[in-house]
């Protein structure tokens, strides 16, 4: 029986493991193994809500082990470090708990490999960023941000008479930075209902970007203008056209020489594939460490290895590469499942990935949602308000239906709605 190993159970990889498990694993037509360094799957586009406590990982995180059991694949926790293509195996680092080794270093053989390890923040070599900035790549990092904010809020409550605002600087005014800023304002505004004598006015947020306008990836300027106006109405300071040249323990320095003091500096200015992927197993990678793939997601130097989502550079008909988005990771995952099934049946994996931009939406917490739908149709349609908000959340709803199936997925949506109704809006611990 052939073995297909998927590394990375995020937005793209979990769908691949689920579909292959149901279609092949359960029927013993192939052995499907998912490897992830984390124990639980969390939908990455919700990480900013984890960081502010508006999302409870206890409800939204999904145990890989339980999911594997129900869907016909096996799960192995481990961190990919290398690929030995000559022997068809991957190398996994030991899993540690402090100094204690929980799981030893291992190798795992594959007949086919799907790499879906996502991306990490890109620091552009700017001094101090790695040491002093916080990132939003993993659940652990999101929880760390939440803890720092919680402690600062507690201190503010104790020393309230000092009236010194908590200063947050977010570098990168793309969708992630803008959504994070709005979510923080929303969380701060909720605090007075939890016995803290404070509201959003105790928080000073500055959003910095080197580009001349916010949301540089969004083509339609009207969307950027609308979002910027909303951010300013919330009291968030927007500083565009400002390059950061250094990050320090208590602030950042701009190219103009100006220093912005900060209690918490968040880096959301760009992404790249994890560094260990660069040249891994002799495969072709680009300057952002992404695995270069053919339009059918096969890596250029090894037809047994596929890559999907943020960690790959998938060429598009117009010469660009598919953008790092949740919808791209999901769509590429669906295609790879069909290509792998073709391969197992002795057919050529002919399906090719062409990105169709169904829409880009920016959700400013409870305040405002705006964006473009059907962007592939001559510029698309600009939407705001309830429809935009419903559509924004439908990406996650589709994801739930995919990983849990129709009945369980619908029940999960019900559980989430009930939990919003029954539990406090903020998770403070
Ligand atoms: C705050 C935020 C908001 C976002 N909002 C949106 C949005 O609204 N719409 C949208 O389309 N996109 C959004 N994105 C982008 C989207 O989250 C990513 O494009 C998408 O998650 C990429 O999917 P992926 O499967 O490639 O990687 P991921 O979803 O990042 O999954 C990678 C998986 O690989 C695992 N992994 C990593 N390294 C290793 C290793 N060495 N060994 C084993 N396992 C490993 C990780 O634990 C993880 O489970 C947002 C991102 C962020 C951070």
């Amino acid at each position: 029986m052939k073995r297909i190993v998927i590394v990375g159970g995020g937005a793209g990889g979990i769908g691949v493991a689920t579909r292959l498990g149901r279609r092949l694993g359960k029927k013993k037509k192939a052995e499907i193994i998912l490897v992830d360094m984390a124990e639980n799957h969390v939908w990455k586009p919700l990480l900013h809500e984890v960081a502010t406590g508006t999302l409870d990982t206890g409800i939204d995180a999904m145990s890989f082990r339980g999911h594997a059991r129900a869907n016909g694949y096996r799960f192995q926790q481990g961190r990919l470090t290398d690929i030995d293509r000559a022997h068809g195996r991957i190398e996994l680092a030991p899993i540690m708990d402090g100094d204690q080794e929980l799981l030893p270093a291992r190798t795992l053989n594959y007949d086919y490999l799907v790499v879906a390890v996502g991306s990490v923040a890109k620091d552009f070599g700017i001094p101090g960023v790695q040491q002093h900035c916080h990132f939003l790549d993993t659940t652990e990092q999101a929880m760390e941000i939440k803890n720092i904010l919680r402690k600062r809020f507690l201190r503010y409550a104790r020393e309230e008479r000092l009236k010194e605002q908590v200063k947050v600087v977010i570098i990168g005014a793309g969708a992630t930075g803008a959504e994070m800023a709005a979510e923080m304002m929303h969380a701060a505004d909720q605090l007075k209902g939890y016995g803290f004598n404070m509201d959003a006015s105790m928080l000073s947020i500055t959003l910095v970007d080197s580009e001349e306008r916010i949301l540089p990836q969004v083509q339609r300027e009207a969307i950027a203008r609308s979002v910027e106006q909303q951010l300013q109405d919330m009291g968030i300071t927007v500083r565009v056209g400002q390059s950061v040249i250094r990050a320090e323990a208590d602030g950042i320095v701009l190219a103009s020489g100006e220093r912005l003091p900060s209690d918490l500096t968040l880096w959301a200015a760009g992404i790249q594939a994890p560094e260990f992927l660069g040249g891994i197993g002799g495969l072709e990678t680009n300057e952002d460490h992404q695995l270069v793939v053919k339009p059918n997601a096969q890596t250029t130097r090894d037809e047994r290895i596929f890559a999907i989502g943020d960690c790959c550079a998938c060429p598009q008909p117009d010469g660009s590469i598919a953008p790092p988005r949740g919808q791209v990771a999901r769509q590429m995952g669906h295609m790879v499942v069909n290509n792998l099934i073709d391969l197992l049946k002795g057919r050529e994996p002919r399906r090719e990935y062409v990105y169709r931009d169904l829409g880009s939406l920016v959700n400013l917490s409870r305040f405002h949602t705006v964006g473009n739908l059907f962007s592939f149709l001559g510029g698309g349609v600009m939407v705001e308000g309830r429809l935009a908000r419903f559509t924004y959340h439908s990406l996650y709803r589709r994801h739930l239906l995919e990983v849990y199936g129709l009945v369980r997925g619908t029940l999960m949506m019900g559980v989430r709605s009930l939990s919003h109704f029954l539990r406090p809006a903020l998770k403070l611990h």
Side-chain angles (χ1 to χ4, degrees):
M1 193 161 54
K2 297 279 188 213
R3 178 186 276 183
I4 303 174
V5 175
I6 302 122
V7 185
I14 188 70
V16 177
T18 309
R19 283 168 183 247
L20 287 176
R22 288 182 194 151
R23 289 173 71 174
L24 303 177
K26 277 190 172 176
K27 298 173 189 157
K28 307 270 181 265
K29 289 184 176 169
E31 185 186 10
I32 313 299
I33 301 180
L34 173 68
V35 175
D36 200 293
M37 60 186 186
E39 277 190 291
N40 299 312
H41 165 86
V42 173
W43 176 242
K44 194 172 179 180
L46 292 179
L47 279 187
H48 59 300
E49 295 188 24
V50 177
T52 51
T54 49
L55 183 125
D56 184 349
T57 46
I59 290 166
D60 281 86
M62 183 190 77
S63 152
F64 282 123
R65 289 177 204 285
H67 188 257
R69 188 166 173 265
N71 288 282
Y73 67 90
R74 285 203 289 134
F75 173 68
Q76 281 222 20
Q77 193 179 358
R79 186 164 57 81
L80 174 73
T81 49
D82 210 353
I83 302 175
D84 177 354
R85 286 164 54 210
H87 295 97
R89 67 185 177 213
I90 57 170
E91 290 176 16
L92 303 178
I95 299 284
M96 308 292 291
D97 181 19
D99 288 344
Q100 204 191 347
E101 189 178 276
L102 297 179
L103 284 170
R106 282 149 295 153
T107 59
L108 191 61
N109 292 338
Y110 64 82
D111 293 298
Y112 296 104
L113 178 67
V114 181
V115 184
V117 293
S119 57
V120 294
K122 179 172 174 171
D123 66 10
F124 301 95
I126 297 170
V129 171
Q130 288 297 335
Q131 298 92 311
H132 303 302
C133 293
H134 292 267
F135 305 99
L136 208 49
D137 297 327
T138 63
T139 313
E140 288 69 34
Q141 290 172 345
M143 298 294 276
E144 196 181 308
I145 293 169
K146 187 171 100 172
N147 278 333
I148 292 171
L149 283 174
R150 188 175 56 96
K151 284 181 195 157
R152 287 296 287 127
F153 290 160
L154 278 172
R155 227 174 81 199
Y156 179 93
R158 202 183 62 214
E159 299 164 3
E160 190 215 350
R161 63 189 184 287
L162 299 176
K163 287 278 179 254
E164 201 182 309
Q165 286 180 307
V166 177
K167 295 177 215 58
V168 176
V169 173
I170 301 176
I171 299 148
T176 303
E179 289 183 355
M180 182 72 198
E183 202 59 54
M184 275 187 178
M185 274 298 180
H186 168 67
D189 205 34
Q190 298 270 310
L191 284 171
K192 56 179 177 293
Y194 291 81
F196 291 89
N197 184 19
M198 58 177 72
D199 56 28
S201 64
M202 48 69 79
L203 194 60
S204 142
I205 302 182
T206 308
L207 200 54
V208 180
D209 204 296
S210 57
E211 298 287 336
E212 289 305 322
R213 73 159 163 89
I214 69 161
L215 303 178
Q217 298 84 356
V218 175
Q219 274 180 7
R220 213 179 252 235
E221 260 197 78
I223 295 173
R225 274 200 305 273
S226 167
V227 170
E228 184 164 351
Q229 189 57 56
Q230 286 291 327
L231 291 171
Q232 283 169 352
D233 290 351
M234 284 176 224
I236 294 165
T237 308
V238 178
R239 303 280 307 264
V240 286
Q242 307 279 340
S243 299
V244 175
I245 56 160
R246 196 167 63 250
E248 296 173 345
D250 54 359
I252 58 156
V253 181
L254 301 175
S256 61
E258 188 185 353
R259 195 173 179 286
L260 302 181
S262 171
D263 295 306
L264 176 73
T265 309
L266 288 174
W267 189 263
I271 59 137
Q272 62 181 16
E275 219 170 309
F276 77 89
L277 270 194
I280 193 168
L283 294 169
E284 186 186 359
T285 49
N286 65 12
E287 67 281 5
D288 282 333
H289 315 304
Q290 288 172 307
L291 288 164
V292 181
V293 295
K294 297 188 262 185
N296 69 355
Q298 266 174 330
T299 50
T300 49
R301 294 186 189 150
D302 195 324
E303 299 195 336
R304 293 199 300 160
I305 303 180
F306 292 76
I308 62 168
D310 287 7
C311 74
C312 79
C314 181
Q316 296 297 290
D318 64 0
S320 66
I321 60 169
R325 298 240 176 105
Q327 50 176 306
V328 172
R330 282 187 68 240
Q331 290 164 4
M332 286 192 82
H334 297 174
M335 181 196 71
V336 159
V337 167
N338 290 321
N339 279 345
L340 279 165
I341 289 174
D342 279 347
L343 265 176
L344 291 180
K345 288 182 176 166
R347 297 196 291 251
E348 279 293 303
R350 286 191 199 284
R351 289 175 183 79
E352 300 195 334
Y353 181 67
V354 179
Y355 172 55
R356 296 189 91 202
D357 189 357
L358 297 177
S360 309
L361 293 154
V362 183
N363 184 42
L364 300 178
S365 189
R366 310 295 173 263
F367 304 102
H368 188 56
T369 310
V370 59
N372 219 30
L373 290 183
F374 311 116
S375 313
F376 61 93
L377 292 177
V381 187
M382 186 169 157
V383 284
E384 288 186 77
R386 279 171 189 268
L387 173 64
R389 197 169 154 72
F390 179 83
T391 316
Y392 176 86
H393 289 292
S394 67
L395 183 64
Y396 184 52
R397 279 193 287 267
R398 281 207 304 273
H399 176 69
L400 286 178
L401 291 176
E402 177 175 14
V403 294
Y404 287 105
L406 183 63
V407 177
R408 283 182 186 214
T410 312
L411 286 173
M412 269 309 289
M413 288 179 217
V415 168
R416 289 190 90 229
S417 308
L418 260 181
S419 140
H420 282 302
F421 175 66
L422 292 173
R423 297 167 69 112
L426 277 190
K427 186 168 158 59
L428 293 165
H429 56 282

